[in-house]
Amino acid sequence: MTSLSTPSVLLVHGAGLDATSFDEFAARLRRSGFDPQAITRRGYDGSDPAPALGDHVDEIVGLLDSRPPESVIVVGVSGGATLGLMLALRGHPSLIAVIVHEPLLGKAAAEQHAVISSSIGTFLADRSPGAYAAFLERLVTPVGWHRLPEDVRRQALHHEVVVRSEAPSFANYAVDIDQMAHSPTRIVWTVGAKSPSWRHDAAEVGRRLGCEIQTLDCRHTPQLEDPTGLLAALRSLGHRS
């Protein structure tokens, strides 16, 4: 187990909910001895959205290139977890580990893939008012969406254009099973205890492929629903505060 003095933690957001969803969690990490940075992915900063998921991973790699060896933990949630998984499989000398909350695997997790692909297809085909909010509600579950802080939901609703741009890439993502089974990076996969069964089925696929599975007291947004559990997942990597 790696012993870390002041590890850097890169926080990667998913679709809709942006880097501000990590504000309170990042503050908690600082108080706990970590050095967090919440990444605002391309498109969410007003720039043109990245055309492919690999472009987002490239930008994270650019942040890692200047860091010392084994000095960074990446924490990704939702779509950010999928990017974190892609990064882990690519590998990088600066990486200690990645923590990924409910990433996509593609057809390797058949029910998850079917549910997410169908939801994205419904969203992309519907330009009516309310279609985007309905998509976010399906993504985090209706209960989870309505329990999010009002300011987080309001901020997420500003990002419809970028979400419509990147959603097809998430729908079409498919993990390389052989590569995942021989990941060069330690992968801790977290899943919400209150999440739908198909998210737990996907986590079981991750377990069979060598991921460490931890269950948190949440649904799809642990940084908001269970920051204590997400912090514990970080501490499990060996940090000494």
Side-chain angles (χ1 to χ4, degrees):
M1 181 177 293
T2 304
S3 177
L4 313 172
S5 53
T6 307
S8 296
V9 181
L10 296 184
L11 304 167
V12 187
H13 66 86
L17 274 66
D18 61 24
T20 63
S21 69
F22 287 111
D23 283 353
E24 291 187 12
F25 184 64
R28 184 169 186 162
L29 289 182
R30 290 186 192 95
R31 293 193 299 269
S32 300
F34 292 93
D35 176 25
Q37 177 185 352
I39 298 169
T40 296
R41 296 197 290 108
R42 200 195 313 179
Y44 289 83
D45 57 0
S47 63
D48 291 335
L53 300 186
D55 295 314
H56 292 284
V57 176
D58 289 342
E59 292 181 357
I60 299 171
V61 169
L63 295 174
L64 294 175
D65 284 341
S66 61
R67 307 296 180 96
E70 296 188 17
S71 64
V72 181
I73 302 165
V74 169
V75 177
V77 173
S78 187
T82 303
L83 299 175
L85 182 61
M86 293 171 67
L87 177 67
L89 301 190
R90 181 184 295 191
H92 192 282
S94 294
L95 276 177
I96 297 162
V98 299
I99 297 175
V100 291
H101 187 76
E102 301 185 342
L104 300 177
L105 292 176
K107 292 182 179 179
E111 187 174 4
Q112 180 197 60
H113 178 69
V115 170
I116 294 296
S117 296
S118 175
S119 182
I120 289 174
T122 297
F123 164 55
L124 294 177
D126 188 353
R127 294 280 178 173
S128 66
Y132 174 52
F135 169 70
L136 293 177
E137 184 176 300
R138 292 193 301 271
L139 183 66
V140 303
T141 75
V143 172
W145 172 251
H146 290 288
R147 289 186 176 176
L148 291 178
E150 183 178 354
D151 61 324
V152 172
R153 284 184 283 127
R154 184 170 56 247
Q155 183 72 8
L157 291 173
H158 288 304
H159 298 306
E160 180 172 359
V161 172
V162 65
V163 174
R164 284 191 179 275
S165 175
E166 67 182 8
S169 294
F170 283 113
N172 294 326
Y173 173 69
V175 71
D176 184 319
I177 295 297
D178 290 337
Q179 188 181 22
M180 188 168 171
H182 300 90
S183 172
T185 310
R186 182 178 178 183
I187 301 171
V188 177
W189 179 314
T190 62
V191 61
K194 302 171 185 175
S195 288
S197 61
W198 48 269
R199 291 203 185 276
H200 289 267
D201 292 344
E204 182 56 33
V205 175
R207 185 195 304 277
R208 293 199 298 268
L209 293 171
C211 299
E212 303 167 40
I213 309 300
Q214 296 188 27
T215 302
L216 305 184
D217 185 20
C218 64
R219 294 175 178 82
H220 200 53
T221 55
Q223 72 274 36
L224 296 163
E225 299 174 76
D226 186 18
T228 298
L230 191 54
L231 176 57
L234 272 165
R235 290 190 184 285
S236 74
L237 298 175
H239 171 60
R240 294 178 181 177
S241 57

